[in-house]
Amino acid sequence: MKKFMNKAASMVAESLEGFVSAHDRLVVFGSDRKFVRRRHLTPGKVAIISGGGAGHEPMHIGFVGLGMLDAACTGHIFTSPTPDQIVAAIEETDTGAGCLLIVKNYDGDLMNFEMAAEAVTGRHGIETVIVSDDIAVPGPPRSSGRRGVAGTLVVEKILGAAAEARMDLAGLKALGDRLNTRIRTMGVALDGVTVPDTARSTFVLDPDEMEVGVGIHGEPGLSRQKLADADTIASMICNTILADIDLQNTDRALVVVNGFGGTPTPELYLIYNIVRRLFEAKGISVARSLVGTYVTSLDMAGLSVTLSLLDEEGLRFWDSPVSTAALQWSSPEI
Amino acid sequence: MKKFMNKAASMVAESLEGFVSAHDRLVVFGSDRKFVRRRHLTPGKVAIISGGGAGHEPMHIGFVGLGMLDAACTGHIFTSPTPDQIVAAIEETDTGAGCLLIVKNYDGDLMNFEMAAEAVTGRHGIETVIVSDDIAVPGPPRSSGRRGVAGTLVVEKILGAAAEARMDLAGLKALGDRLNTRIRTMGVALDGVTVPDTARSTFVLDPDEMEVGVGIHGEPGLSRQKLADADTIASMICNTILADIDLQNTDRALVVVNGFGGTPTPELYLIYNIVRRLFEAKGISVARSLVGTYVTSLDMAGLSVTLSLLDEEGLRFWDSPVSTAALQWSSPEI
């Protein structure tokens, strides 16, 4: 393991400090550095709050800003933030319209966000949207075991825009739950993750192997397979996604090809090029795309493909202005 | 070597096609796919053209768009684009005010851009700005041996904004040459680069080694040293940069911490956190920053630090709106 760091124990705090310092016109630390929040809050807008373990950057701190999150709580690497952090974020960002919590479907995150929500009951209006887009988990469709992975950024972008448009808490909760049923993600890794604390890789692959159906915490995937070419990998991912989702004629698709941290951008574009064609060959209208490194697993070499089926409202919220460290556009790419 | 690809020979073309397809509201291919250009050109504006070998993405194609480049020519991996490609870019993007070529200081790039410029003499006004910001090359200051590395993005952003403000060709040439004297970069790698064609790493480091003073083509650096902690690495980089540049009281600094492709963003922010303090301790006012993966060397683990000393005009052009695949802001982070 070689990393740019001083000590593993202080790595997250040092990196967060650098992040806030680099983006100090956009974000500030909350009290006691328990979370990162927008520098300028908007009175009367529902606050959108997310968070999770460190090691997935730029998610979630990179999504704090106009049109997306109001606050992000970061735990230690691959470890949920504490209820204490989440309570502080709620208390300091609720400007009167309540808070929507966006939580990735992991036991630790669920438990701590729920404890935080209970702790503020009566003082703050709270709703929670759970993201569970990862189809590479055995079990029935939409089983509670499905993890929240790269689709989380789609939910955060669209709900963030809806909140900016003054959608109320109940509306955001309903929109988020509906969105979650229309987003599917699958990931493939070419190598495991080296966790700074242990200095060990979470799984080891031979030079001719890949790990199919991985999450973003270094856990092994569904199966270990022989390394294949990009066409074969893309086809396997698309077919698995399409077998799991009901297509409706009116939907238009947002396709996200997301790198896990150690995969260069050109490889992501290469995969996007294949995936787009495969989806279009199935009659899907790929209306929007996002290709880059957004939801990571430290330095893992690998990528995921996310298919999000959006209606006109969803597309409009996706296109709405966003100004965060990791996503920025006024009108998208014009 | 494990990469998401089909064949090494088609990797660049497939990836470029994915890029253009993902950003089709922003860019289009030039004729015969010789280059990537803005979808919408601005009559009467000097065209800003750059290019170089593939393997450095998002540079340069990711910088094509409003406020930055009009066209980018991509060669094969770590190989200059041909004069033919550059001539086509000039002919198709010059809307009457001439073209400024931004060229990284490598023999192959210099030769091919110069041949292209000669080929269009008399038909197009051409000026060339050569970027040579890498101080980790032996020889006298500003020697012709200094490579163009991450500082190139600073030159492209600022000249792109100046061109958008209708600065003329002579003004852009003078501004670019002046800028190049005020930008310094130094890089460190934790591992070598695996080139798809050869499937071999360009250099191999032991687990406790780092390569200091690397460029972006997998060439070995100035020296191989024992791996050090982040404080030590940052300090060495900053001291080397500061020993090479004259500070003036009125300057304000833009600091770029750039990942080479295989280094996760949190490590870049961690280094930024240290670098900013070290520069400020020397009396430098760090007015702007950019932390991310912009000028890469395929999947190399490593990073570079770029110090750019800017006057008010330079800062204003840095802050000007930009809308490209890799850099986007309307007003920076507000």
Side-chain angles (χ1 to χ4, degrees), chain A residues 88-125:
Chain A
I90 292 169
E91 289 178 339
E92 293 181 41
T93 60
D94 184 356
T95 59
C99 296
L100 185 84
L101 312 180
I102 301 177
V103 184
K104 300 192 298 302
N105 193 27
Y106 297 97
D107 289 344
D109 288 347
L110 288 178
M111 186 176 71
N112 287 1
F113 274 89
E114 193 177 324
M115 285 175 64
E118 284 170 6
V120 301
T121 297
R123 288 181 288 128
H124 299 275

Short mmCIF file of all heavy atoms in Angstrom, two decimals, chain A residues 88-125:
data_model
loop_
_atom_site.label_atom_id
_atom_site.label_comp_id
_atom_site.label_asym_id
_atom_site.label_seq_id
_atom_site.Cartn_x
_atom_site.Cartn_y
_atom_site.Cartn_z
N ALA A 88 -26.33 17.02 14.57
CA ALA A 88 -25.76 18.37 14.44
C ALA A 88 -26.07 18.95 13.06
O ALA A 88 -26.41 20.13 12.93
CB ALA A 88 -24.25 18.32 14.68
N ALA A 89 -25.95 18.12 12.03
CA ALA A 89 -26.24 18.60 10.67
C ALA A 89 -27.70 19.01 10.54
O ALA A 89 -28.02 20.04 9.93
CB ALA A 89 -25.89 17.52 9.65
N ILE A 90 -28.59 18.22 11.12
CA ILE A 90 -30.02 18.56 11.07
C ILE A 90 -30.26 19.89 11.77
O ILE A 90 -30.91 20.81 11.24
CB ILE A 90 -30.85 17.43 11.73
CG1 ILE A 90 -30.80 16.16 10.88
CG2 ILE A 90 -32.30 17.89 11.95
CD1 ILE A 90 -31.37 14.91 11.57
N GLU A 91 -29.73 20.00 12.97
CA GLU A 91 -30.00 21.20 13.76
C GLU A 91 -29.46 22.47 13.12
O GLU A 91 -30.04 23.54 13.24
CB GLU A 91 -29.42 21.03 15.18
CG GLU A 91 -30.23 20.00 15.98
CD GLU A 91 -29.67 19.76 17.37
OE1 GLU A 91 -28.47 20.05 17.60
OE2 GLU A 91 -30.43 19.25 18.23
N GLU A 92 -28.34 22.34 12.42
CA GLU A 92 -27.70 23.55 11.88
C GLU A 92 -28.12 23.88 10.46
O GLU A 92 -27.75 24.93 9.93
CB GLU A 92 -26.18 23.41 11.96
CG GLU A 92 -25.69 23.40 13.41
CD GLU A 92 -24.17 23.29 13.52
OE1 GLU A 92 -23.47 23.94 12.72
OE2 GLU A 92 -23.70 22.53 14.39
N THR A 93 -28.87 22.98 9.80
CA THR A 93 -29.25 23.30 8.41
C THR A 93 -30.76 23.36 8.21
O THR A 93 -31.19 23.79 7.15
CB THR A 93 -28.66 22.28 7.41
OG1 THR A 93 -29.15 20.97 7.74
CG2 THR A 93 -27.16 22.29 7.42
N ASP A 94 -31.54 22.95 9.20
CA ASP A 94 -33.00 23.06 9.04
C ASP A 94 -33.39 24.53 9.22
O ASP A 94 -33.26 25.08 10.31
CB ASP A 94 -33.71 22.18 10.08
CG ASP A 94 -35.23 22.21 9.89
OD1 ASP A 94 -35.73 22.97 9.01
OD2 ASP A 94 -35.92 21.48 10.62
N THR A 95 -33.84 25.14 8.15
CA THR A 95 -34.23 26.56 8.22
C THR A 95 -35.74 26.71 8.34
O THR A 95 -36.28 27.77 8.06
CB THR A 95 -33.73 27.32 6.98
OG1 THR A 95 -34.29 26.70 5.80
CG2 THR A 95 -32.23 27.31 6.90
N GLY A 96 -36.42 25.62 8.70
CA GLY A 96 -37.84 25.73 8.96
C GLY A 96 -38.72 24.80 8.16
O GLY A 96 -39.87 24.54 8.53
N ALA A 97 -38.21 24.29 7.06
CA ALA A 97 -39.03 23.43 6.20
C ALA A 97 -38.74 21.94 6.41
O ALA A 97 -39.27 21.09 5.71
CB ALA A 97 -38.80 23.80 4.73
N GLY A 98 -37.87 21.64 7.37
CA GLY A 98 -37.55 20.25 7.64
C GLY A 98 -36.34 19.76 6.88
O GLY A 98 -35.71 20.51 6.12
N CYS A 99 -36.00 18.48 7.12
CA CYS A 99 -34.80 17.89 6.52
C CYS A 99 -35.15 16.57 5.86
O CYS A 99 -35.86 15.74 6.43
CB CYS A 99 -33.74 17.58 7.57
SG CYS A 99 -33.11 19.04 8.41
N LEU A 100 -34.61 16.38 4.67
CA LEU A 100 -34.69 15.08 4.02
C LEU A 100 -33.33 14.41 4.13
O LEU A 100 -32.32 14.97 3.70
CB LEU A 100 -35.08 15.22 2.55
CG LEU A 100 -35.29 13.86 1.88
CD1 LEU A 100 -36.69 13.35 2.16
CD2 LEU A 100 -35.01 13.91 0.40
N LEU A 101 -33.32 13.19 4.69
CA LEU A 101 -32.08 12.43 4.82
C LEU A 101 -31.99 11.44 3.66
O LEU A 101 -32.93 10.67 3.43
CB LEU A 101 -32.04 11.68 6.15
CG LEU A 101 -32.41 12.49 7.40
CD1 LEU A 101 -32.34 11.60 8.66
CD2 LEU A 101 -31.49 13.70 7.55
N ILE A 102 -30.89 11.45 2.95
CA ILE A 102 -30.67 10.48 1.88
C ILE A 102 -29.62 9.49 2.37
O ILE A 102 -28.48 9.87 2.66
CB ILE A 102 -30.22 11.16 0.58
CG1 ILE A 102 -31.29 12.16 0.13
CG2 ILE A 102 -29.95 10.12 -0.52
CD1 ILE A 102 -30.92 12.95 -1.12
N VAL A 103 -30.02 8.23 2.49
CA VAL A 103 -29.20 7.23 3.16
C VAL A 103 -28.96 6.05 2.22
O VAL A 103 -29.91 5.51 1.64
CB VAL A 103 -29.89 6.73 4.45
CG1 VAL A 103 -28.99 5.77 5.21
CG2 VAL A 103 -30.28 7.91 5.34
N LYS A 104 -27.73 5.66 2.10
CA LYS A 104 -27.42 4.46 1.32
C LYS A 104 -27.79 3.23 2.15
O LYS A 104 -27.60 3.21 3.37
CB LYS A 104 -25.93 4.43 0.96
CG LYS A 104 -25.50 5.64 0.14
CD LYS A 104 -24.12 5.51 -0.47
CE LYS A 104 -22.99 5.36 0.53
NZ LYS A 104 -22.90 6.49 1.50
N ASN A 105 -28.27 2.22 1.49
CA ASN A 105 -28.79 1.06 2.20
C ASN A 105 -27.69 0.15 2.75
O ASN A 105 -27.32 -0.86 2.12
CB ASN A 105 -29.73 0.26 1.29
CG ASN A 105 -30.55 -0.76 2.06
OD1 ASN A 105 -30.81 -0.57 3.25
ND2 ASN A 105 -30.92 -1.84 1.40
N TYR A 106 -27.16 0.52 3.89
CA TYR A 106 -26.22 -0.31 4.66
C TYR A 106 -26.70 -0.28 6.10
O TYR A 106 -27.16 0.77 6.58
CB TYR A 106 -24.80 0.25 4.58
CG TYR A 106 -24.24 0.24 3.19
CD1 TYR A 106 -24.30 1.38 2.42
CD2 TYR A 106 -23.68 -0.91 2.65
CE1 TYR A 106 -23.81 1.39 1.12
CE2 TYR A 106 -23.20 -0.92 1.35
CZ TYR A 106 -23.26 0.23 0.59
OH TYR A 106 -22.79 0.23 -0.68
N ASP A 107 -26.53 -1.37 6.80
CA ASP A 107 -27.05 -1.47 8.16
C ASP A 107 -26.55 -0.34 9.06
O ASP A 107 -27.32 0.28 9.78
CB ASP A 107 -26.66 -2.83 8.79
CG ASP A 107 -27.44 -3.98 8.14
OD1 ASP A 107 -28.44 -3.69 7.46
OD2 ASP A 107 -27.02 -5.13 8.31
N GLY A 108 -25.24 -0.08 8.99
CA GLY A 108 -24.68 0.95 9.87
C GLY A 108 -25.26 2.32 9.59
O GLY A 108 -25.63 3.06 10.51
N ASP A 109 -25.33 2.67 8.31
CA ASP A 109 -25.90 3.97 7.94
C ASP A 109 -27.36 4.06 8.34
O ASP A 109 -27.81 5.06 8.91
CB ASP A 109 -25.76 4.20 6.42
CG ASP A 109 -24.33 4.48 6.00
OD1 ASP A 109 -23.49 4.74 6.88
OD2 ASP A 109 -24.04 4.45 4.80
N LEU A 110 -28.12 3.01 8.04
CA LEU A 110 -29.55 3.02 8.36
C LEU A 110 -29.75 3.25 9.86
O LEU A 110 -30.57 4.07 10.28
CB LEU A 110 -30.19 1.68 7.98
CG LEU A 110 -30.37 1.41 6.49
CD1 LEU A 110 -30.96 0.02 6.30
CD2 LEU A 110 -31.26 2.46 5.85
N MET A 111 -28.98 2.52 10.66
CA MET A 111 -29.16 2.59 12.11
C MET A 111 -28.83 3.99 12.63
O MET A 111 -29.59 4.57 13.41
CB MET A 111 -28.25 1.55 12.77
CG MET A 111 -28.44 1.41 14.26
SD MET A 111 -27.40 0.07 14.92
CE MET A 111 -25.76 0.81 14.76
N ASN A 112 -27.71 4.54 12.16
CA ASN A 112 -27.29 5.82 12.73
C ASN A 112 -28.16 6.99 12.24
O ASN A 112 -28.44 7.91 13.00
CB ASN A 112 -25.81 6.06 12.42
CG ASN A 112 -24.91 5.16 13.26
OD1 ASN A 112 -25.42 4.35 14.06
ND2 ASN A 112 -23.61 5.29 13.10
N PHE A 113 -28.57 6.94 10.98
CA PHE A 113 -29.47 8.00 10.51
C PHE A 113 -30.83 7.89 11.23
O PHE A 113 -31.46 8.90 11.55
CB PHE A 113 -29.63 7.94 8.98
CG PHE A 113 -28.56 8.69 8.24
CD1 PHE A 113 -27.36 8.07 7.87
CD2 PHE A 113 -28.72 10.03 7.90
CE1 PHE A 113 -26.36 8.76 7.19
CE2 PHE A 113 -27.73 10.73 7.22
CZ PHE A 113 -26.55 10.10 6.86
N GLU A 114 -31.27 6.65 11.45
CA GLU A 114 -32.55 6.47 12.15
C GLU A 114 -32.47 6.97 13.60
O GLU A 114 -33.40 7.64 14.10
CB GLU A 114 -32.95 4.99 12.11
CG GLU A 114 -34.39 4.73 12.51
CD GLU A 114 -34.74 3.25 12.38
OE1 GLU A 114 -34.26 2.60 11.43
OE2 GLU A 114 -35.50 2.75 13.23
N MET A 115 -31.37 6.66 14.26
CA MET A 115 -31.20 7.15 15.64
C MET A 115 -31.20 8.68 15.66
O MET A 115 -31.77 9.31 16.56
CB MET A 115 -29.90 6.61 16.24
CG MET A 115 -29.99 5.13 16.63
SD MET A 115 -28.38 4.49 17.21
CE MET A 115 -28.14 5.47 18.68
N ALA A 116 -30.55 9.27 14.67
CA ALA A 116 -30.51 10.73 14.62
C ALA A 116 -31.91 11.30 14.39
O ALA A 116 -32.32 12.28 15.04
CB ALA A 116 -29.56 11.19 13.51
N ALA A 117 -32.65 10.67 13.47
CA ALA A 117 -34.00 11.15 13.18
C ALA A 117 -34.87 11.06 14.43
O ALA A 117 -35.64 11.99 14.74
CB ALA A 117 -34.60 10.34 12.03
N GLU A 118 -34.74 9.97 15.17
CA GLU A 118 -35.53 9.82 16.39
C GLU A 118 -35.15 10.86 17.43
O GLU A 118 -36.00 11.38 18.16
CB GLU A 118 -35.35 8.41 16.96
CG GLU A 118 -36.13 7.37 16.18
CD GLU A 118 -35.77 5.94 16.59
OE1 GLU A 118 -35.00 5.76 17.56
OE2 GLU A 118 -36.26 5.01 15.91
N ALA A 119 -33.88 11.17 17.48
CA ALA A 119 -33.40 12.11 18.51
C ALA A 119 -33.96 13.52 18.30
O ALA A 119 -34.04 14.29 19.27
CB ALA A 119 -31.87 12.15 18.49
N VAL A 120 -34.32 13.86 17.07
CA VAL A 120 -34.80 15.23 16.82
C VAL A 120 -36.31 15.29 16.62
O VAL A 120 -36.85 16.35 16.29
CB VAL A 120 -34.09 15.87 15.61
CG1 VAL A 120 -32.58 15.92 15.82
CG2 VAL A 120 -34.43 15.13 14.32
N THR A 121 -36.99 14.13 16.79
CA THR A 121 -38.43 14.10 16.57
C THR A 121 -39.14 15.13 17.43
O THR A 121 -38.83 15.29 18.61
CB THR A 121 -38.98 12.69 16.89
OG1 THR A 121 -38.39 11.76 15.99
CG2 THR A 121 -40.50 12.65 16.70
N GLY A 122 -40.07 15.83 16.83
CA GLY A 122 -40.79 16.85 17.57
C GLY A 122 -40.18 18.22 17.39
O GLY A 122 -40.87 19.23 17.48
N ARG A 123 -38.87 18.25 17.12
CA ARG A 123 -38.21 19.54 16.92
C ARG A 123 -37.98 19.84 15.44
O ARG A 123 -37.91 20.98 15.03
CB ARG A 123 -36.89 19.58 17.68
CG ARG A 123 -37.09 19.67 19.20
CD ARG A 123 -35.77 19.73 19.93
NE ARG A 123 -35.08 18.44 19.91
CZ ARG A 123 -33.82 18.26 19.52
NH1 ARG A 123 -33.10 19.29 19.11
NH2 ARG A 123 -33.28 17.05 19.52
N HIS A 124 -37.82 18.78 14.63
CA HIS A 124 -37.57 18.98 13.21
C HIS A 124 -38.41 18.00 12.41
O HIS A 124 -38.57 16.83 12.81
CB HIS A 124 -36.09 18.73 12.88
CG HIS A 124 -35.16 19.66 13.58
ND1 HIS A 124 -34.84 20.91 13.10
CD2 HIS A 124 -34.50 19.54 14.76
CE1 HIS A 124 -34.00 21.51 13.94
NE2 HIS A 124 -33.78 20.70 14.97
N GLY A 125 -38.96 18.46 11.30
CA GLY A 125 -39.62 17.55 10.37
C GLY A 125 -38.57 16.75 9.62
O GLY A 125 -37.64 17.33 9.05
#
